[in-house]
Amino acid sequence: MPNPSRLRAAALTATAAALSVLLAGCGGGSQEDDEDLSGQKLHWKDCPAPSEAEGGGAAPSPLPDGDEWQCATMKAPLDWDDPGGDTIGLALIRAEASGAADRRIGSLVFNFGGPGGSGVTTLPAFGQDYAKLRTRYDLVSFDPRGVGRSDPVECLDDKQLDTYFQQDATPDDRAERTEFVDNTEEFNAACEKSSKKILPHVRTTDAARDMDLMRQVLGDEKLHYFGISYGTELGGVYAHLFPKHVGRAVFDAVVDPTQTAEQGSLGQAKGFQLALDNFAEDCVSKVEDCPVGDTAEDVEARIARLLKDLDRKPIPGVFPRELTETAATGGIAQALYSKDFWEYLTEGLEQAYDGDGRVLMVLSDALNGRNEDGEYSNITAANVAINCADDKPRYDPAYVEDKLPEFRDASPLFGDYLAWSMLSCTDWPVAGAADHPDVHAPGAAPILVIGNTGDPATPYEGAGRMVDALGKGVGVELTYKGQGHGAYDSKNRCVQDAVHGYLLDGNVPAAETVCS
């Protein structure tokens, strides 16, 4: 899984594309050398094909109305404590507003999460979902520093990553624990060797400052923003640093800003277990027989037996790799990010029981940023680098072992993995910034905060805590009673009407609105 300390969203379109095969963006904009970076001019051009660090593939297809996606590069200080020093280039993408010029509000900046996800590749993949918002906004996204085409963090090469993701991430004895710790240390050392210059400068506070520079360069008085998953944490930190610059903002799939890394991992264990419970109940409730169990309890018991069997003896996956316990756990988790993928999970489990691990491995590959050509994006490297730069706590093996019973109580299936994942930052070369992010933003404009009761990766309770942490009069909570990671892309009419009403017309929905 891409985040050894927290499971967060990976691009779902890559999964769908890879499964469809199995089962049948942006740099290059040069800029003027301007000493005042807020006055730089962006040179928008047709977008190139995504780099390997962005996930590879073809250049984005034209929009439905025939307009082309445009890309540019924005210069930003490498070190915001030394704004006159070295600079880095941040890759941007946009689709210009489709409506009348006199109705245009400005730019709507997206961050889709991770941390470590490429906004330059994700925005065009989901662009049609935001067509209504495009009527009054330029849709804009970016690769945050350390991600994709924006001075990417690099660690292991593709072959090394194949081996890394085959390891046993839930050690059962001293030898397995030693191997797991050694692999983590080797990964972190490779990051330091390849990316030493950028590692101290990928904190969320750095990305938030980049967004305020972006706001100025795009010519907007306020930052209008749509943050998803980790993007809600980034948006909250931005609001804390620049409350007077917050425009119309939406947070969807909300990270709990009050939790430490340990608390976040434990919360995710509970969230993914809830999603698994919901998947099992849904499967057995259908009119036709559930092919992976007779009852919800039977579904989960069979999955547990599968994972134990894979721990002893992996099965063939995507040749020449085998499906291990760790890869299967990652594949199951990836499918739980969206109810649309539950059918793939059912098919993957059914095939795995017959000794064929291909579907679960394709799901796991998507979570880890691996494409069908065997190339990895840098989502894993960036994800670890950003989280370890942000999170102050460091844990050791003895501490994890003490916590295993609590994590197993939270989730018999995901508990061990998420507990051991807390070691990812133990020997990281950069100190973590804080126990948790500061998102207190007195005086900011209203921020619509959407929590999904069935969200596995950012459990529902985090939305209410984000509202409280933002401060009185800032956060406005909306509850979606649904499944999957996030609410807007569920296409629920109630949720989308609330989002459109605020972002397009400035109408703040009533606090504690509930959509189902």
Side-chain angles (χ1 to χ4, degrees):
M1 301 179 191
N3 185 349
S5 62
R6 301 193 190 108
L7 289 169
R8 289 184 181 163
L12 300 182
T13 50
T15 315
L19 284 164
S20 66
V21 172
L22 177 62
L23 300 177
C26 241
S30 62
Q31 286 151 319
E32 298 173 357
D33 184 11
D34 193 330
E35 186 175 345
D36 179 6
L37 293 177
S38 65
Q40 66 185 285
K41 180 177 175 58
L42 297 176
H43 297 278
W44 295 99
K45 299 181 179 180
D46 290 346
C47 294
S51 67
E52 180 176 339
E54 288 176 308
S61 301
L63 291 145
D65 60 4
D67 287 352
E68 297 284 347
W69 291 94
Q70 300 175 321
C71 287
T73 302
M74 183 187 81
K75 287 193 294 187
L78 170 66
D79 183 350
W80 273 103
D81 291 332
D82 181 20
D86 292 345
T87 62
I88 58 174
L90 302 181
L92 276 62
I93 189 168
R94 76 172 179 184
E96 292 186 284
S98 61
D102 62 354
R103 294 274 295 161
R104 179 182 176 276
I105 296 171
S107 297
L108 181 62
V109 176
F110 289 79
N111 181 281
F112 296 94
S118 166
V120 170
T121 58
T122 305
L123 180 58
F126 290 94
Q128 184 55 33
D129 294 347
Y130 305 105
K132 188 160 186 176
L133 297 175
R134 188 181 164 225
T135 60
R136 300 197 68 189
Y137 291 98
D138 295 345
L139 305 184
V140 176
S141 194
F142 63 107
D143 289 352
R145 53 176 60 218
V147 175
R149 210 180 286 265
S150 298
D151 205 339
V153 175
E154 297 177 348
C155 300
L156 303 177
D157 63 28
D158 292 336
K159 286 187 177 181
Q160 290 170 324
L161 284 170
D162 272 347
T163 301
Y164 180 75
F165 288 121
Q166 292 287 100
Q167 71 172 316
D168 188 339
T170 56
D172 300 314
D173 54 39
R174 180 174 296 181
E176 289 183 353
R177 186 182 77 176
T178 298
E179 183 178 9
F180 178 73
V181 171
D182 288 347
N183 287 338
T184 303
E185 290 176 351
E186 289 173 8
F187 181 93
N188 293 353
C191 298
E192 183 177 20
K193 181 178 179 180
S194 300
S195 304
K196 186 175 183 177
K197 186 176 180 180
I198 189 68
L199 293 185
H201 307 296
V202 295
R203 294 188 170 99
T204 299
T205 50
D206 296 314
R209 291 185 171 94
D210 291 339
M211 287 205 305
D212 199 58
L213 176 62
M214 193 181 307
R215 171 192 66 79
Q216 298 171 70
V217 172
L218 292 170
D220 290 328
E221 182 179 348
K222 303 281 188 180
L223 178 75
H224 306 297
Y225 181 73
F226 200 135
I228 301 165
S229 193
Y230 163 78
T232 66
E233 180 178 324
L234 174 58
V237 170
Y238 179 88
H240 171 69
L241 294 175
F242 306 103
K244 299 301 183 184
H245 296 170
V246 175
R248 299 175 188 176
V250 173
F251 294 176
D252 187 7
V254 186
V255 172
D256 186 338
T258 69
Q259 292 183 329
T260 64
E262 177 188 346
Q263 292 167 336
S265 293
L266 184 62
Q268 284 197 324
K270 296 174 183 177
F272 276 93
Q273 185 62 45
L274 173 63
L276 183 68
D277 295 344
N278 291 336
F279 159 76
E281 291 282 358
D282 179 78
C283 188
V284 300
S285 70
K286 296 184 182 303
V287 175
E288 66 272 18
D289 289 338
C290 176
V292 291
D294 297 325
T295 65
E297 293 77 10
D298 184 39
V299 171
E300 296 192 30
R302 292 190 69 190
I303 293 173
R305 287 197 298 272
L306 172 67
L307 295 178
K308 280 190 175 182
D309 289 343
L310 292 173
D311 191 27
R312 289 190 295 267
K313 185 179 180 181
I315 61 175
V318 176
F319 184 81
R321 295 171 299 140
E322 293 182 315
L323 182 74
T324 63
E325 177 195 19
T326 299
T329 303
I332 294 166
Q334 175 70 344
L336 295 176
Y337 271 110
S338 172
K339 191 174 182 179
D340 292 342
F341 286 178
W342 286 6
E343 62 181 291
Y344 297 131
L345 178 54
T346 300
E347 184 162 358
L349 290 170
E350 193 174 13
Q351 290 187 6
Y353 296 146
D354 290 334
D356 182 351
R358 287 179 296 165
V359 172
L360 289 182
M361 178 151 270
V362 168
L363 287 162
S364 179
D365 284 347
L367 192 64
N368 294 329
R370 188 186 196 270
N371 66 26
E372 59 190 33
D373 295 326
E375 298 174 340
Y376 286 86
S377 73
N378 89 312
I379 188 170
T380 297
N383 190 282
V384 175
I386 295 167
N387 281 325
C388 293
D390 278 347
D391 295 336
K392 187 176 181 180
R394 301 293 188 249
Y395 307 103
D396 61 29
Y399 186 87
V400 171
E401 289 187 336
D402 286 343
K403 291 292 181 177
L404 281 173
E406 186 177 2
F407 274 77
R408 288 168 179 164
D409 284 344
S411 174
L413 195 149
F414 297 105
D416 273 41
Y417 183 92
L418 284 162
W420 283 109
S421 72
M422 292 193 296
L423 295 183
S424 62
C425 297
T426 298
D427 62 340
W428 191 251
V430 175
D435 288 331
H436 53 79
D438 191 345
V439 300
H440 188 50
I447 297 172
L448 179 58
V449 179
I450 307 172
N452 180 351
T453 58
D455 197 314
T458 50
Y460 168 69
E461 294 78 10
R465 292 171 188 156
M466 175 67 81
V467 168
D468 291 342
L470 287 168
K472 186 175 180 181
V474 179
V476 178
E477 185 173 7
L478 182 149
T479 294
Y480 169 54
K481 292 184 176 180
Q483 303 296 330
H485 188 44
Y488 182 88
D489 283 337
S490 71
K491 298 180 173 58
N492 177 272
R493 181 67 179 272
C494 172
V495 172
Q496 294 200 338
D497 284 350
V499 171
H500 296 160
Y502 183 39
L503 290 180
L504 296 174
D505 301 316
N507 299 323
V508 182
E512 300 182 5
T513 295
V514 177
C515 295
S516 58

CSV table of all heavy atoms in Angstrom, one decimal, residues 150-193:
chain,number,residue,atom,x,y,z
A,150,SER,N,6.7,17.6,-10.2
A,150,SER,CA,7.1,18.7,-9.3
A,150,SER,C,8.2,18.3,-8.4
A,150,SER,O,8.1,18.1,-7.2
A,150,SER,CB,5.9,19.3,-8.5
A,150,SER,OG,4.9,19.8,-9.3
A,151,ASP,N,9.5,18.2,-9.0
A,151,ASP,CA,10.6,17.8,-8.2
A,151,ASP,C,10.3,16.5,-7.4
A,151,ASP,O,10.4,16.6,-6.2
A,151,ASP,CB,11.1,18.9,-7.3
A,151,ASP,CG,12.6,18.8,-7.0
A,151,ASP,OD1,13.2,17.7,-7.1
A,151,ASP,OD2,13.2,19.8,-6.6
A,152,PRO,N,10.0,15.4,-8.1
A,152,PRO,CA,9.5,14.3,-7.3
A,152,PRO,C,10.5,13.6,-6.4
A,152,PRO,O,11.7,13.5,-6.7
A,152,PRO,CB,9.2,13.3,-8.5
A,152,PRO,CG,10.0,13.7,-9.6
A,152,PRO,CD,10.1,15.2,-9.5
A,153,VAL,N,10.0,13.2,-5.3
A,153,VAL,CA,10.8,12.4,-4.4
A,153,VAL,C,11.0,11.0,-5.0
A,153,VAL,O,10.1,10.4,-5.5
A,153,VAL,CB,10.1,12.2,-3.0
A,153,VAL,CG1,10.9,11.2,-2.1
A,153,VAL,CG2,9.9,13.5,-2.3
A,154,GLU,N,12.3,10.5,-5.0
A,154,GLU,CA,12.6,9.3,-5.6
A,154,GLU,C,13.3,8.4,-4.6
A,154,GLU,O,14.1,8.9,-3.8
A,154,GLU,CB,13.5,9.4,-6.8
A,154,GLU,CG,12.8,10.2,-8.0
A,154,GLU,CD,13.8,10.4,-9.1
A,154,GLU,OE1,15.0,10.2,-9.0
A,154,GLU,OE2,13.3,10.9,-10.2
A,155,CYS,N,12.9,7.1,-4.6
A,155,CYS,CA,13.5,6.2,-3.6
A,155,CYS,C,14.0,4.9,-4.3
A,155,CYS,O,15.1,4.9,-4.9
A,155,CYS,CB,12.5,5.8,-2.5
A,155,CYS,SG,11.9,7.3,-1.6
A,156,LEU,N,13.2,3.9,-4.4
A,156,LEU,CA,13.6,2.6,-5.0
A,156,LEU,C,13.2,2.7,-6.5
A,156,LEU,O,12.2,3.3,-6.9
A,156,LEU,CB,12.9,1.5,-4.3
A,156,LEU,CG,13.2,1.3,-2.8
A,156,LEU,CD1,12.4,0.1,-2.3
A,156,LEU,CD2,14.7,1.1,-2.5
A,157,ASP,N,13.9,1.9,-7.3
A,157,ASP,CA,13.5,1.8,-8.7
A,157,ASP,C,12.4,0.7,-8.9
A,157,ASP,O,12.0,0.1,-7.9
A,157,ASP,CB,14.7,1.4,-9.6
A,157,ASP,CG,15.4,0.1,-9.3
A,157,ASP,OD1,14.7,-0.8,-8.8
A,157,ASP,OD2,16.6,-0.1,-9.5
A,158,ASP,N,11.9,0.5,-10.1
A,158,ASP,CA,10.8,-0.3,-10.3
A,158,ASP,C,11.0,-1.7,-9.8
A,158,ASP,O,10.1,-2.3,-9.2
A,158,ASP,CB,10.4,-0.3,-11.8
A,158,ASP,CG,9.8,1.1,-12.2
A,158,ASP,OD1,9.4,1.8,-11.4
A,158,ASP,OD2,9.9,1.4,-13.4
A,159,LYS,N,12.1,-2.3,-10.2
A,159,LYS,CA,12.4,-3.7,-9.8
A,159,LYS,C,12.5,-3.8,-8.3
A,159,LYS,O,12.0,-4.8,-7.7
A,159,LYS,CB,13.6,-4.2,-10.4
A,159,LYS,CG,13.5,-4.5,-11.9
A,159,LYS,CD,14.8,-5.2,-12.4
A,159,LYS,CE,14.6,-5.6,-13.9
A,159,LYS,NZ,15.8,-6.2,-14.5
A,160,GLN,N,13.1,-2.8,-7.6
A,160,GLN,CA,13.2,-2.8,-6.2
A,160,GLN,C,11.8,-2.7,-5.5
A,160,GLN,O,11.6,-3.3,-4.5
A,160,GLN,CB,14.1,-1.7,-5.7
A,160,GLN,CG,15.6,-2.0,-6.1
A,160,GLN,CD,16.5,-0.7,-5.8
A,160,GLN,OE1,16.0,0.4,-6.0
A,160,GLN,NE2,17.7,-1.0,-5.4
A,161,LEU,N,11.0,-1.9,-6.1
A,161,LEU,CA,9.6,-1.7,-5.6
A,161,LEU,C,8.8,-3.0,-5.7
A,161,LEU,O,8.0,-3.3,-4.8
A,161,LEU,CB,8.9,-0.5,-6.3
A,161,LEU,CG,9.4,0.8,-5.8
A,161,LEU,CD1,8.8,1.9,-6.7
A,161,LEU,CD2,9.0,1.1,-4.4
A,162,ASP,N,9.0,-3.7,-6.8
A,162,ASP,CA,8.3,-5.0,-6.9
A,162,ASP,C,8.7,-5.9,-5.8
A,162,ASP,O,7.8,-6.5,-5.2
A,162,ASP,CB,8.7,-5.7,-8.3
A,162,ASP,CG,7.8,-5.3,-9.4
A,162,ASP,OD1,6.7,-4.7,-9.2
A,162,ASP,OD2,8.2,-5.6,-10.6
A,163,THR,N,10.0,-5.9,-5.4
A,163,THR,CA,10.4,-6.8,-4.3
A,163,THR,C,9.9,-6.2,-3.0
A,163,THR,O,9.4,-7.0,-2.1
A,163,THR,CB,11.9,-6.8,-4.3
A,163,THR,OG1,12.4,-7.4,-5.5
A,163,THR,CG2,12.4,-7.7,-3.1
A,164,TYR,N,9.9,-4.9,-2.8
A,164,TYR,CA,9.5,-4.2,-1.6
A,164,TYR,C,8.0,-4.6,-1.3
A,164,TYR,O,7.7,-4.9,-0.2
A,164,TYR,CB,9.7,-2.7,-1.8
A,164,TYR,CG,9.3,-1.9,-0.6
A,164,TYR,CD1,10.1,-1.9,0.6
A,164,TYR,CD2,8.1,-1.2,-0.6
A,164,TYR,CE1,9.7,-1.1,1.7
A,164,TYR,CE2,7.7,-0.4,0.5
A,164,TYR,CZ,8.5,-0.4,1.6
A,164,TYR,OH,8.1,0.4,2.7
A,165,PHE,N,7.2,-4.5,-2.3
A,165,PHE,CA,5.8,-4.8,-2.1
A,165,PHE,C,5.4,-6.3,-2.0
A,165,PHE,O,4.3,-6.6,-1.7
A,165,PHE,CB,4.9,-4.1,-3.2
A,165,PHE,CG,4.9,-2.6,-3.1
A,165,PHE,CD1,5.3,-1.8,-4.1
A,165,PHE,CD2,4.4,-2.0,-1.9
A,165,PHE,CE1,5.3,-0.5,-4.0
A,165,PHE,CE2,4.3,-0.6,-1.8
A,165,PHE,CZ,4.8,0.2,-2.9
A,166,GLN,N,6.4,-7.1,-2.2
A,166,GLN,CA,6.2,-8.6,-2.0
A,166,GLN,C,6.5,-9.0,-0.6
A,166,GLN,O,6.3,-10.1,-0.2
A,166,GLN,CB,7.1,-9.4,-3.0
A,166,GLN,CG,6.7,-9.3,-4.4
A,166,GLN,CD,5.4,-10.0,-4.8
A,166,GLN,OE1,4.4,-9.5,-4.9
A,166,GLN,NE2,5.5,-11.3,-4.9
A,167,GLN,N,7.1,-8.1,0.2
A,167,GLN,CA,7.5,-8.4,1.6
A,167,GLN,C,6.3,-8.7,2.5
A,167,GLN,O,5.2,-8.4,2.1
A,167,GLN,CB,8.3,-7.3,2.2
A,167,GLN,CG,7.5,-6.1,2.5
A,167,GLN,CD,8.2,-5.0,3.3
A,167,GLN,OE1,8.9,-5.3,4.2
A,167,GLN,NE2,8.1,-3.7,2.9
A,168,ASP,N,6.6,-9.4,3.6
A,168,ASP,CA,5.6,-9.7,4.6
A,168,ASP,C,5.5,-8.5,5.5
A,168,ASP,O,6.4,-8.2,6.3
A,168,ASP,CB,6.0,-10.9,5.4
A,168,ASP,CG,4.9,-11.4,6.3
A,168,ASP,OD1,4.0,-10.6,6.6
A,168,ASP,OD2,4.9,-12.6,6.7
A,169,ALA,N,4.4,-7.7,5.4
A,169,ALA,CA,4.2,-6.5,6.1
A,169,ALA,C,3.5,-6.7,7.4
A,169,ALA,O,3.2,-5.8,8.1
A,169,ALA,CB,3.5,-5.4,5.3
A,170,THR,N,3.2,-8.0,7.8
A,170,THR,CA,2.6,-8.3,9.1
A,170,THR,C,3.5,-9.4,9.7
A,170,THR,O,3.0,-10.6,9.8
A,170,THR,CB,1.2,-8.8,8.9
A,170,THR,OG1,1.1,-9.9,7.9
A,170,THR,CG2,0.3,-7.7,8.3
A,171,PRO,N,4.7,-9.1,10.2
A,171,PRO,CA,5.6,-10.1,10.7
A,171,PRO,C,5.0,-10.9,11.9
A,171,PRO,O,4.4,-10.3,12.8
A,171,PRO,CB,6.8,-9.3,11.1
A,171,PRO,CG,6.3,-7.9,11.3
A,171,PRO,CD,5.2,-7.7,10.3
A,172,ASP,N,5.3,-12.2,11.9
A,172,ASP,CA,4.7,-13.1,12.9
A,172,ASP,C,5.8,-13.6,13.9
A,172,ASP,O,5.4,-14.1,14.9
A,172,ASP,CB,4.1,-14.3,12.2
A,172,ASP,CG,3.0,-14.0,11.3
A,172,ASP,OD1,2.1,-13.1,11.7
A,172,ASP,OD2,2.9,-14.5,10.2
A,173,ASP,N,7.1,-13.4,13.5
A,173,ASP,CA,8.1,-13.9,14.4
A,173,ASP,C,9.3,-12.9,14.3
A,173,ASP,O,9.3,-11.9,13.6
A,173,ASP,CB,8.5,-15.3,14.1
A,173,ASP,CG,8.9,-15.5,12.7
A,173,ASP,OD1,9.6,-14.6,12.1
A,173,ASP,OD2,8.6,-16.6,12.1
A,174,ARG,N,10.3,-13.2,15.1
A,174,ARG,CA,11.5,-12.3,15.2
A,174,ARG,C,12.2,-12.2,13.9
A,174,ARG,O,12.6,-11.1,13.5
A,174,ARG,CB,12.5,-12.8,16.3
A,174,ARG,CG,13.7,-11.9,16.4
A,174,ARG,CD,14.6,-12.3,17.5
A,174,ARG,NE,13.9,-12.2,18.8
A,174,ARG,CZ,14.5,-12.5,20.0
A,174,ARG,NH1,15.7,-13.0,20.0
A,174,ARG,NH2,13.8,-12.3,21.1
A,175,ALA,N,12.3,-13.3,13.1
A,175,ALA,CA,13.0,-13.2,11.8
A,175,ALA,C,12.3,-12.3,10.8
A,175,ALA,O,12.8,-11.5,10.1
A,175,ALA,CB,13.2,-14.6,11.3
A,176,GLU,N,10.9,-12.5,10.8
A,176,GLU,CA,10.1,-11.7,9.9
A,176,GLU,C,10.1,-10.2,10.3
A,176,GLU,O,10.2,-9.3,9.5
A,176,GLU,CB,8.7,-12.2,9.8
A,176,GLU,CG,8.6,-13.6,9.1
A,176,GLU,CD,7.1,-14.0,9.0
A,176,GLU,OE1,6.2,-13.4,9.6
A,176,GLU,OE2,6.9,-15.0,8.3
A,177,ARG,N,10.1,-10.0,11.6
A,177,ARG,CA,10.2,-8.6,12.1
A,177,ARG,C,11.5,-7.9,11.7
A,177,ARG,O,11.5,-6.8,11.3
A,177,ARG,CB,10.0,-8.6,13.6
A,177,ARG,CG,9.9,-7.2,14.2
A,177,ARG,CD,9.8,-7.2,15.7
A,177,ARG,NE,11.0,-7.4,16.3
A,177,ARG,CZ,11.2,-7.4,17.6
A,177,ARG,NH1,10.2,-7.2,18.5
A,177,ARG,NH2,12.4,-7.6,18.2
A,178,THR,N,12.6,-8.6,11.9
A,178,THR,CA,13.9,-8.1,11.5
A,178,THR,C,13.9,-7.8,10.0
A,178,THR,O,14.4,-6.7,9.6
A,178,THR,CB,15.0,-9.1,11.9
A,178,THR,OG1,15.0,-9.3,13.3
A,178,THR,CG2,16.4,-8.5,11.4
A,179,GLU,N,13.4,-8.7,9.2
A,179,GLU,CA,13.4,-8.4,7.8
A,179,GLU,C,12.5,-7.2,7.4
A,179,GLU,O,12.9,-6.4,6.6
A,179,GLU,CB,12.9,-9.6,7.0
A,179,GLU,CG,12.9,-9.5,5.5
A,179,GLU,CD,12.4,-10.7,4.8
A,179,GLU,OE1,11.9,-11.6,5.5
A,179,GLU,OE2,12.6,-10.8,3.5
A,180,PHE,N,11.4,-7.1,8.1
A,180,PHE,CA,10.5,-5.9,7.8
A,180,PHE,C,11.2,-4.6,8.2
A,180,PHE,O,11.1,-3.6,7.4
A,180,PHE,CB,9.2,-6.1,8.6
A,180,PHE,CG,8.2,-5.0,8.4
A,180,PHE,CD1,7.5,-4.8,7.2
A,180,PHE,CD2,8.0,-4.1,9.5
A,180,PHE,CE1,6.6,-3.7,7.1
A,180,PHE,CE2,7.1,-3.0,9.3
A,180,PHE,CZ,6.4,-2.9,8.1
A,181,VAL,N,11.8,-4.6,9.4
A,181,VAL,CA,12.5,-3.4,9.8
A,181,VAL,C,13.6,-3.0,8.9
A,181,VAL,O,13.8,-1.9,8.5
A,181,VAL,CB,13.0,-3.5,11.2
A,181,VAL,CG1,13.9,-2.4,11.6
A,181,VAL,CG2,11.8,-3.6,12.2
A,182,ASP,N,14.4,-4.1,8.5
A,182,ASP,CA,15.5,-3.8,7.5
A,182,ASP,C,15.0,-3.3,6.2
A,182,ASP,O,15.6,-2.3,5.6
A,182,ASP,CB,16.3,-5.1,7.3
A,182,ASP,CG,17.1,-5.6,8.5
A,182,ASP,OD1,17.3,-4.8,9.4
A,182,ASP,OD2,17.5,-6.7,8.5
A,183,ASN,N,13.9,-3.8,5.7
A,183,ASN,CA,13.4,-3.3,4.4
A,183,ASN,C,12.9,-1.9,4.5
A,183,ASN,O,13.1,-1.1,3.6
A,183,ASN,CB,12.2,-4.2,4.0
A,183,ASN,CG,12.6,-5.5,3.5
A,183,ASN,OD1,13.7,-5.7,3.1
A,183,ASN,ND2,11.7,-6.5,3.5
A,184,THR,N,12.3,-1.5,5.7
A,184,THR,CA,11.9,-0.1,5.9
A,184,THR,C,13.1,0.8,5.9
A,184,THR,O,13.1,1.9,5.3
A,184,THR,CB,11.1,0.0,7.2
A,184,THR,OG1,9.9,-0.9,7.1
A,184,THR,CG2,10.6,1.4,7.4
A,185,GLU,N,14.1,0.4,6.6
A,185,GLU,CA,15.3,1.2,6.7
A,185,GLU,C,16.0,1.4,5.4
A,185,GLU,O,16.5,2.5,5.0
A,185,GLU,CB,16.3,0.6,7.7
A,185,GLU,CG,15.9,0.6,9.2
A,185,GLU,CD,16.8,-0.1,10.1
A,185,GLU,OE1,17.7,-0.8,9.6
A,185,GLU,OE2,16.6,0.0,11.3
A,186,GLU,N,16.0,0.3,4.5
A,186,GLU,CA,16.6,0.4,3.2
A,186,GLU,C,15.8,1.4,2.3
A,186,GLU,O,16.3,2.1,1.5
A,186,GLU,CB,16.7,-1.0,2.6
A,186,GLU,CG,17.7,-1.9,3.2
A,186,GLU,CD,17.6,-3.3,2.7
A,186,GLU,OE1,16.9,-3.5,1.7
A,186,GLU,OE2,18.3,-4.2,3.2
A,187,PHE,N,14.5,1.3,2.4
A,187,PHE,CA,13.6,2.2,1.7
A,187,PHE,C,13.9,3.7,2.0
A,187,PHE,O,14.1,4.5,1.2
A,187,PHE,CB,12.1,1.9,1.9
A,187,PHE,CG,11.2,2.8,1.1
A,187,PHE,CD1,10.7,2.4,-0.1
A,187,PHE,CD2,10.8,4.0,1.7
A,187,PHE,CE1,9.8,3.2,-0.8
A,187,PHE,CE2,9.9,4.8,1.0
A,187,PHE,CZ,9.4,4.4,-0.3
A,188,ASN,N,13.9,3.9,3.3
A,188,ASN,CA,14.2,5.3,3.8
A,188,ASN,C,15.6,5.8,3.4
A,188,ASN,O,15.7,7.0,3.1
A,188,ASN,CB,13.9,5.4,5.3
A,188,ASN,CG,12.5,5.2,5.7
A,188,ASN,OD1,11.6,5.1,4.8
A,188,ASN,ND2,12.2,5.1,7.0
A,189,ALA,N,16.5,4.9,3.5
A,189,ALA,CA,17.9,5.3,3.1
A,189,ALA,C,18.0,5.6,1.6
A,189,ALA,O,18.7,6.6,1.2
A,189,ALA,CB,18.9,4.2,3.5
A,190,ALA,N,17.2,4.9,0.8
A,190,ALA,CA,17.2,5.2,-0.6
A,190,ALA,C,16.6,6.5,-0.9
A,190,ALA,O,17.0,7.3,-1.8
A,190,ALA,CB,16.5,4.1,-1.4
A,191,CYS,N,15.5,6.9,-0.2
A,191,CYS,CA,14.9,8.2,-0.3
A,191,CYS,C,15.9,9.3,0.0
A,191,CYS,O,16.0,10.3,-0.7
A,191,CYS,CB,13.7,8.3,0.6
A,191,CYS,SG,12.4,7.1,0.3
A,192,GLU,N,16.6,9.1,1.1
A,192,GLU,CA,17.6,10.2,1.5
A,192,GLU,C,18.7,10.3,0.4
A,192,GLU,O,19.1,11.4,0.1
A,192,GLU,CB,18.2,9.8,2.8
A,192,GLU,CG,19.2,10.9,3.3
A,192,GLU,CD,19.7,10.6,4.7
A,192,GLU,OE1,19.7,9.4,5.1
A,192,GLU,OE2,20.2,11.5,5.4
A,193,LYS,N,19.2,9.2,-0.1
A,193,LYS,CA,20.2,9.2,-1.1
A,193,LYS,C,19.8,9.9,-2.4
A,193,LYS,O,20.6,10.7,-2.9
A,193,LYS,CB,20.7,7.8,-1.4
A,193,LYS,CG,21.8,7.7,-2.4
A,193,LYS,CD,22.3,6.3,-2.6
A,193,LYS,CE,23.4,6.2,-3.6
A,193,LYS,NZ,23.9,4.8,-3.9
